[in-house]
Amino acid sequence: MLEDIKKIARDAGTAIMEIYNSDDFDVQKKGDDSPLTKADLAAHNVICDGLKVLDTQYPILSEESADISWEQRKHWHRYWLVDPLDGTKEFIKRNGEFTVNIALIENGEPILGVVYAPVLDAMYTGERDNGAWLNGDAIRVENEAPDTLRIVGSRSHASQETTDWLEKLDRPYEMVPMGSSLKICLVAEGKADIYPRLGPTCEWDTGAAHAVLSAAGGSITTVEGEPLLYNRKEKYLNPYFIAR
């Protein structure tokens, strides 16, 4: 199934790039004031169409079709969690740091994930009990504690809470700026040590990269140290979390 999901993600990336290389993003504002482009919708359609023809059928929860009642969702055992274009602000800035995200969630945990960055042609994949890869090469979190922590920070979503958290660290650190779910992927491939997200995110923002990080030997926990879980409540907002 992983190869099928990689193809779907790549096809969605192709649809995104057709718009990325055009002059018309058709940028709109959603109800939460976040941006929406033609590329978000094009990728959503490609992904949903691709998932619906797989031999194994699971419900699909996409950022662009998230109006599914809790009464219905709370009975889901397995489902696809999709962010067709994560990092829309990076897409609009044309800096290449945006991704296609497809995760398979089982009983609240991401067990398979694909994160594809089409401009970078970087395909991150992770599968529970099977490992994580970047463009087919195995990746693993950094296990050695460095003298200087490499901390991933958001390019577009800085918060005072994050600044306060950094000031309490007991060792030197350097910031590694990055957009979208690539922040979590940098930790998964050992190019960063920790990603504190003390600001709002939704479950589709993290599911796929969470699967990659877990398969690479890392973890995401709440600031209280509890595992980050999915589809456990009516709202889609994640609590603040630490990826490491």
Side-chain angles (χ1 to χ4, degrees):
M1 194 190 310
L2 184 57
E3 292 303 314
D4 292 328
I5 305 307
K6 287 166 62 177
K7 182 182 184 307
I8 293 171
R10 196 174 292 277
D11 289 345
T14 299
I16 290 171
M17 291 305 296
E18 289 178 1
I19 298 166
Y20 187 72
N21 293 323
S22 75
D23 296 324
D24 182 17
F25 288 0
D26 188 23
V27 180
Q28 305 171 30
K29 291 288 187 180
K30 295 193 286 189
D32 61 357
D33 208 35
S34 62
L36 174 70
T37 71
K38 288 197 301 186
D40 295 80
L41 299 174
H44 165 80
N45 291 331
V46 168
I47 294 168
C48 290
D49 289 347
L51 293 176
K52 288 174 182 176
V53 299
L54 294 179
D55 291 339
T56 304
Q57 292 294 303
Y58 301 123
I60 302 170
L61 174 60
S62 168
E63 179 179 9
E64 310 311 336
S65 60
D67 188 18
I68 303 173
S69 73
W70 172 238
E71 284 301 312
Q72 181 178 352
R73 287 189 293 112
K74 69 182 181 181
H75 301 294
W76 289 357
H77 168 62
R78 279 189 174 189
Y79 71 100
W80 296 110
L81 180 60
V82 174
D83 191 342
L85 201 172
D86 183 40
T88 302
K89 290 184 178 179
E90 317 306 332
F91 174 87
I92 294 169
K93 294 175 185 176
R94 293 183 185 270
N95 68 14
E97 294 176 1
F98 54 86
T99 56
V100 176
N101 298 273
I102 307 173
L104 182 61
I105 308 297
E106 179 182 82
N107 295 328
E109 298 182 2
I111 62 170
L112 180 149
V114 170
V115 176
Y116 179 54
V119 171
L120 307 176
D121 194 28
M123 179 77 74
Y124 293 88
T125 58
E127 191 172 12
R128 186 175 63 186
D129 301 327
N130 210 11
W133 304 269
L134 169 57
N135 292 340
D137 294 326
I139 57 175
R140 188 79 181 167
V141 295
E142 177 58 63
N143 288 321
E144 297 292 329
D147 294 330
T148 300
L149 280 175
R150 298 164 299 169
I151 300 178
V152 188
S154 175
R155 284 206 192 274
S156 303
H157 301 279
S159 73
Q160 185 60 47
E161 290 92 339
T162 303
T163 300
D164 295 342
W165 185 87
L166 291 170
E167 290 177 350
K168 297 175 183 177
L169 290 176
D170 59 358
R171 73 174 76 180
Y173 67 87
E174 61 181 4
M175 296 302 298
V176 182
M178 184 56 67
S180 72
S181 58
L182 290 170
K183 295 185 287 293
I184 297 173
C185 292
L186 285 184
V187 180
E189 64 173 309
K191 289 187 175 179
D193 302 299
I194 191 166
Y195 166 41
R197 183 56 186 236
L198 307 182
T201 58
C202 289
E203 294 183 0
W204 46 72
D205 294 317
T206 57
H210 189 171
V212 174
L213 178 59
S214 295
S219 67
I220 300 183
T221 62
T222 68
V223 292
E224 293 80 23
E226 298 297 321
L228 184 67
L229 298 175
Y230 298 80
N231 200 40
R232 285 291 186 262
K233 58 190 185 308
E234 183 174 2
K235 302 288 187 181
Y236 295 120
L237 279 175
N238 286 322
Y240 291 175
F241 64 80
I242 309 293
R244 69 185 89 211

